[in-house]
């Protein structure tokens, strides 16, 4: 695990975009693993800029998102489908994008289909991650075991509270999500995790210096052979 600490959150986001850019330049058909949430926005803005400046061509890339809320239609204003269209997909020239279908009739089948699609695409070359306040990656919440395949997860109260900011009221926040498992994340050939702001400092410390512990699902990244952690000073404050 390589850890970089930057002065600002913008620098951390730019560094992540540069790692993605380097990957795409050396492998134009890169399979990208993508995340949603506030942390990803700066990196996506930089990828859009690099595309507009003629540096990055996404036409041969494929993407797989980590997660989606159960029960939300693709075009729901709070769905991760919608987030990705607005923050990235509609602003670059990518054609082949995948987000789990949170409103699939048979959710179990959807989890299996999603893992199959990733495998058929040749696996994820580079995975973007944020981290939850409780150390979750994707929507893999603290547990007694590390999750493996794509699965339906129940969101913890702390995650519901953290995501409330995107919804009108707490009742509107879905209680379940479909998420790539930690096993699926660990199969990515390269992982780039960005954490910014003091609210992430405890989770970052537990991930980097604590025990390998499924109560902090991100701690498993310590045994991944190629993980880069990009922090701003606030997120690194407790290291
Ligand atoms: C979202 C996801 C989550 C977020 C994490 C941080 O697709 O996988 O693990 O990365 O909850 O969210 P933000 O960036 O909003 O603090």
């Amino acid at each position: 695990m390589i850890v970089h600490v930057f002065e600002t959150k913008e620098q951390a986001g730019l560094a992540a975009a540069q790692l993605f850019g380097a990957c795409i330049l050396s492998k134009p058909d890169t399979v990208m693993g993508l995340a949603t949430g506030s942390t990803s926005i700066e990196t996506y803005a930089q990828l859009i800029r690099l595309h507009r400046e003629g540096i990055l061509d996404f036409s041969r890339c494929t993407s797989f998102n980590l997660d989606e809320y159960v029960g939300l239609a693709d075009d729901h204003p709070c769905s991760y489908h919608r987030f990705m269209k607005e923050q990235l997909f509609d602003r670059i020239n990518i054609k082949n994008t995948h987000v789990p279908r949170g409103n699939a009739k048979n959710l179990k089948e959807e989890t299996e289909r999603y893992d199959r699609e990733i495998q058929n695409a040749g696996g994820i070359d580079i995975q973007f991650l944020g981290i939850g306040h409780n150390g979750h990656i994707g929507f893999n919440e603290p547990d007694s075991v590390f999750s493996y395949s794509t699965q339906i997860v129940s969101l913890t109260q702390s995650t519901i509270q953290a995501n409330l900011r995107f919804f009108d009221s707490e009742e509107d926040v879905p209680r379940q999500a479909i998420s790539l498992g930690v096993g699926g994340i660990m199969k990515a050939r390269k992982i780039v995790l960005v954490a910014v702001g003091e609210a992430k400092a405890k989770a970052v410390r537990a991930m980097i210096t604590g025990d390998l512990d499924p109560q902090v699902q991100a701690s498993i990244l310590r045994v991944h052979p190629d993980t880069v952690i990009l922090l701003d000073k606030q997120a690194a404050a407790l290291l």
Side-chain angles (χ1 to χ4, degrees), residues 35-40 66-67 80 130-132 136-139 165 200:
T36 54
S38 321
T39 314
S40 60
L66 283 168
D67 40 24
Y80 286 170
I131 183 170
H136 74 206
I137 45 176
F139 267 138
R165 66 192 193 279
K200 299 292 173 69

Side-chain angles (χ1 to χ4, degrees), residues 7-108:
E7 282 295 314
T8 68
K9 61 179 187 195
E10 288 77 17
Q11 288 172 330
L14 172 59
Q18 286 176 333
L19 287 170
F20 269 71
C23 193
I24 294 162
L25 288 169
S26 57
K27 184 173 183 286
D29 60 349
T30 289
V31 179
M32 302 185 289
L34 300 177
T36 54
S38 321
T39 314
S40 60
I41 292 175
E42 179 64 29
T43 298
Y44 295 159
Q46 294 294 345
L47 290 177
I48 293 162
R49 178 182 62 76
L50 290 167
H51 170 66
R52 289 197 176 142
E53 289 174 359
I55 312 286
L56 290 184
D57 173 13
F58 293 87
S59 61
R60 292 174 57 201
C61 293
T62 301
S63 74
F64 288 92
N65 264 79
L66 283 168
D67 40 24
E68 178 58 285
Y69 289 114
V70 164
L72 296 195
D74 294 2
D75 59 354
H76 186 286
C78 296
S79 76
Y80 286 170
H81 273 87
R82 180 85 168 257
F83 176 98
M84 289 309 299
K85 270 173 77 66
E86 288 171 0
Q87 298 296 334
L88 188 64
F89 297 157
D90 285 352
R91 299 157 76 186
I92 57 174
N93 64 338
I94 193 164
K95 294 181 209 114
N96 196 358
T97 64
H98 305 259
V99 181
R101 291 190 293 237
N103 63 348
K105 281 213 175 72
N106 185 330
L107 288 168
K108 177 87 179 86

Side-chain angles (χ1 to χ4, degrees), residues 16 19-20 23 30-36 44 63-67 114 118 123-130 137-138 180-182 184-194 221 224 226-228:
L19 287 170
F20 269 71
C23 193
T30 289
V31 179
M32 302 185 289
L34 300 177
T36 54
Y44 295 159
S63 74
F64 288 92
N65 264 79
L66 283 168
D67 40 24
Y114 205 66
I118 294 175
I124 292 169
D125 291 307
I126 181 165
Q127 174 70 54
F128 182 96
L129 293 177
I137 45 176
L180 204 71
V182 165
I185 293 171
M186 290 293 281
K187 283 188 203 156
R189 288 181 266 280
K190 186 178 192 74
I191 296 179
V192 179
L193 183 146
V194 179
L221 298 176
H224 186 277
D226 187 4
T227 289
V228 183

Side-chain angles (χ1 to χ4, degrees), residues 188-221:
R189 288 181 266 280
K190 186 178 192 74
I191 296 179
V192 179
L193 183 146
V194 179
V196 297
E198 63 178 340
K200 299 292 173 69
K202 273 194 188 151
V204 165
R205 180 178 59 188
M207 165 178 69
I208 296 177
T209 67
D211 292 334
L212 213 72
D213 179 0
Q215 291 298 331
V216 181
Q217 295 268 324
S219 63
I220 192 95
L221 298 176

